[in-house]
Amino acid sequence: MQPIKNLPARDGQLGWFESVPFQRPMPVRQAEQNEHFDIIIIGAGFSGLATAGRLAELRPEARIAVIDALEVGQGTSGRNAGFIIDLPHNLDATEPDVELNTRVRDLNCFAIQRLKRIQEQQGLDVCWHAAGKYLAAHEEKHFANLNAFVNTLEAIGEQYEILDGEALATRLGTHYYQRAVYTPGNILMNPAALAISVASALPDNVTLLENTPVREVDLSNKVVQTPKARLSADTLVLATNSFTEKFGVCRNQLVPVFTYASLTRPLDDSEISQFDGVTPWGLTSAHPAGTTVRLTPDKRVFIRNTLNFQPALRSSQALLDKARDQHRKSLLARFPRLANVLFEYTWGGMICMTMNHEPVFKEQAPGLYVVAAMNGVGVAKGTYLGHYMAELICGKQSPELDFILQHSAPSWVPPDPVRSMGARIRLAVEARRARGEV
Ligand SMILES: Cc1cc2nc3c(=O)[nH]c(=O)nc-3n(C[C@H](O)[C@H](O)[C@H](O)COP(=O)(O)OP(=O)(O)OC[C@H]3O[C@@H](n4cnc5c(N)ncnc54)[C@H](O)[C@@H]3O)c2cc1C
């Protein structure tokens, strides 16, 4: 058995998880006894849950287990900014690849429809709202990225609106941004609530085992050791995001980048009055290292920024404190009248990047499958890759699966210490370039 040296941790106060507006419908169950399953999926994020959901549809007789070191909604899938992005997210495309972007858009929309159906069926309040998304620039030098995005939208025939100055300020309740491209198809939600909703929809042939870290693994024999039980399977799926490399696969492919988020307390009546006529919104930055901001339906402000390379896959109190200080500056730069509003929660989470932005999606060895590296857009991508991972396992062919297989070849990343040095230098350069957008 090979030990797994780095295990997931909570990395701060998980704002979305703590503010889920409903009682979890199913009990939390851990692995208590040795058991054999037909299929074990490690990782109960959007990728693992989608794999399990589709497998259960295709093989209703199979005994399937989904295992996670944390509770559903506590991993990165429950810590993100809560955007289910419908459109390709390429800001540097001067000559957009129409075929590729159309396919990615269609797959994202497929994922949105699937998640929408689940949350409607389950009837849990995941704060789902079709708010669209602003891609916004504070500084003129980043207008080029907005133009590149517009080029892609034009090429694939998507609707958009360009907003400047006062018209934009009226929509957002801040004059901070000079220009934005608004696209209507993005969904905003509470990601921890949505992950719990998706997990609650899994049928009876799927056993969900939480607070169950896999501490040792034998990938050849598909055996995993958890604190209280040894589990085995005929088929093993790793849906473990950046932790995948700790299982000894995807070496020299992944770049785990930590980023941080904070959520304020709900604004009171006088504080929310400065947003008179403004409906809840979500905004990402024209520079990839800039700030993501949301005004939520429960009147909180969400801020996400700060990137650092953490090969131990764990944050620290010092890094969380530093990120919260930056979040405060970002909040006040946009909303100076919210000087009395403190953050109730600050947490960190991992964006699993690859050099060429392609995910890992493959049969690593007979009966061993890997789906990882969502490159920062894992709600939609994890959902559709998980779905098609199940189809790959079951031998179900489709043009969508062919497309995914053709675009799942992450390029080579040099081993440490070159990887760490390179990542830190690159992040420092990008942070300097994005300074005005943070
Ligand atoms: C702050 C932040 C904001 C983001 N914003 C967005 C956004 O708005 N929209 C978007 O689409 N994406 C966003 N992302 C990215 C998105 O959250 C990820 O792409 C997505 O969560 C990946 O899903 P996943 O299921 O592949 O991995 P994860 O959600 O990371 O799930 C992997 C699971 O594997 C489990 N695991 C790992 N190792 C073990 C082990 N040894 N034993 C047991 N379990 C294990 C982990 O606990 C974890 O729950 C953001 C990320 C961050 C950090």
Side-chain angles (χ1 to χ4, degrees):
M1 296 285 274
Q2 171 209 334
I4 310 291
K5 292 200 184 109
N6 303 68
L7 294 172
R10 287 184 60 138
D11 300 305
Q13 301 291 318
L14 307 178
W16 297 122
F17 184 80
E18 298 299 336
S19 60
V20 168
F22 55 80
Q23 196 75 29
R24 193 185 134 113
M26 66 289 192
V28 175
R29 213 187 122 189
Q30 299 177 19
E32 303 282 356
Q33 61 187 39
N34 295 354
E35 249 179 293
H36 183 81
F37 292 91
D38 295 308
I39 304 162
I40 290 179
I41 299 159
I42 308 177
F46 286 110
S47 311
L49 293 171
T51 308
R54 183 61 176 152
L55 274 171
E57 287 172 353
L58 294 172
R59 290 189 54 191
E61 81 302 340
R63 289 191 71 231
I64 301 164
V66 183
I67 315 177
D68 204 291
L70 304 170
E71 284 179 36
V72 170
Q74 292 180 342
T76 307
S77 284
R79 300 182 198 180
N80 60 53
F83 291 67
I84 321 181
I85 302 175
D86 56 327
L87 298 168
H89 213 52
N90 41 346
L91 299 179
D92 48 6
T94 37
E95 290 216 13
D97 180 331
V98 177
E99 152 104 40
L100 180 110
N101 285 308
T102 305
R103 287 269 195 190
V104 171
R105 189 262 325 269
D106 291 350
L107 285 165
N108 287 339
C109 290
F110 164 77
I112 290 175
Q113 285 316 312
R114 206 156 154 100
L115 290 169
K116 184 165 189 257
R117 205 164 49 242
I118 291 173
Q119 63 95 23
E120 283 170 355
Q121 276 163 3
Q122 295 310 102
L124 299 170
D125 177 10
V126 305
C127 311
W128 181 284
H129 55 130
K133 182 172 92 62
Y134 296 88
L135 182 74
H138 170 66
E139 293 183 322
E140 208 172 321
K141 68 177 180 186
H142 299 299
F143 286 4
N145 284 349
L146 298 185
N147 296 340
F149 183 53
V150 165
N151 280 347
T152 301
L153 298 176
E154 290 278 354
I156 62 173
E158 279 293 324
Q159 278 186 320
Y160 64 91
E161 215 180 322
I162 295 180
L163 293 142
D164 291 287
E166 207 50 44
L168 181 59
T170 308
R171 296 269 281 263
L172 301 178
T174 170
H175 284 90
Y176 185 77
Y177 296 99
Q178 285 199 55
R179 179 171 295 174
V181 180
Y182 174 77
T183 47
N186 176 73
I187 305 298
L188 296 176
M189 43 80 195
N190 173 326
L194 183 62
I196 294 169
S197 169
V198 173
S200 75
L202 293 172
D204 288 346
N205 64 323
V206 181
T207 304
L208 179 61
L209 300 167
E210 298 162 271
N211 293 327
T212 299
V214 172
R215 290 184 171 164
E216 290 176 61
V217 70
D218 174 349
L219 294 178
S220 312
N221 293 308
K222 301 172 192 74
V223 179
V224 301
Q225 182 65 50
T226 70
K228 294 186 196 158
R230 184 171 281 222
L231 309 174
S232 58
D234 301 329
T235 301
L236 184 63
V237 183
L238 300 182
T240 38
N241 201 1
S242 300
F243 288 92
T244 307
E245 61 183 19
K246 304 299 172 191
F247 287 78
V249 295
C250 299
R251 288 234 166 88
N252 303 328
Q253 288 188 322
L254 309 182
V255 185
V257 175
F258 246 86
T259 186
Y260 298 82
S262 289
L263 201 52
T264 66
R265 62 164 169 75
L267 305 183
D268 66 23
D269 288 347
S270 74
E271 289 155 354
I272 201 73
S273 64
Q274 72 167 285
F275 294 96
D276 195 23
V278 175
T279 52
W281 50 262
L283 174 154
T284 58
S285 170
H287 191 285
T291 298
T292 300
V293 190
R294 280 181 61 181
L295 177 66
T296 69
D298 63 347
K299 302 177 192 159
R300 298 173 190 265
V301 180
F302 168 95
I303 302 273
R304 185 215 55 84
N305 59 38
T306 308
L307 301 168
N308 45 57
F309 179 70
Q310 295 291 95
L313 310 186
R314 190 168 274 225
S315 190
S316 67
Q317 195 53 50
L319 287 169
L320 286 161
D321 291 345
K322 204 168 161 201
R324 192 180 44 242
D325 290 347
Q326 178 55 58
H327 293 164
R328 178 135 194 90
K329 287 183 196 146
S330 307
L331 177 78
L332 295 183
R334 287 154 180 84
F335 309 109
R337 280 186 285 162
L338 297 186
N340 292 328
V341 178
L342 297 179
F343 291 115
E344 199 169 342
Y345 309 100
T346 297
W347 65 94
M350 241 171 314
I351 294 183
C352 185
M353 303 297 296
T354 56
M355 294 297 276
N356 60 356
H357 292 203
E358 293 203 357
V360 179
F361 180 94
K362 62 178 174 183
E363 183 172 13
Q364 169 85 17
L368 173 65
Y369 296 83
V370 188
V371 54
M374 304 303 145
N375 285 278
V377 286
V379 181
K381 189 173 273 199
T383 299
Y384 75 70
L385 288 184
H387 181 94
Y388 285 102
M389 174 50 74
E391 302 210 343
L392 177 72
I393 293 167
C394 295
K396 195 171 177 344
Q397 296 184 348
S398 66
E400 289 80 9
L401 180 57
D402 291 343
F403 170 80
I404 289 168
L405 287 167
Q406 279 159 21
H407 293 90
S408 302
S411 44
W412 182 77
V413 179
D416 278 324
V418 178
R419 177 179 77 153
S420 297
M421 247 162 45
R424 289 192 175 113
I425 291 168
R426 174 79 194 273
L427 289 176
V429 169
E430 294 302 332
R432 203 168 316 117
R433 285 192 187 136
R435 207 160 30 204
E437 305 296 330
V438 174

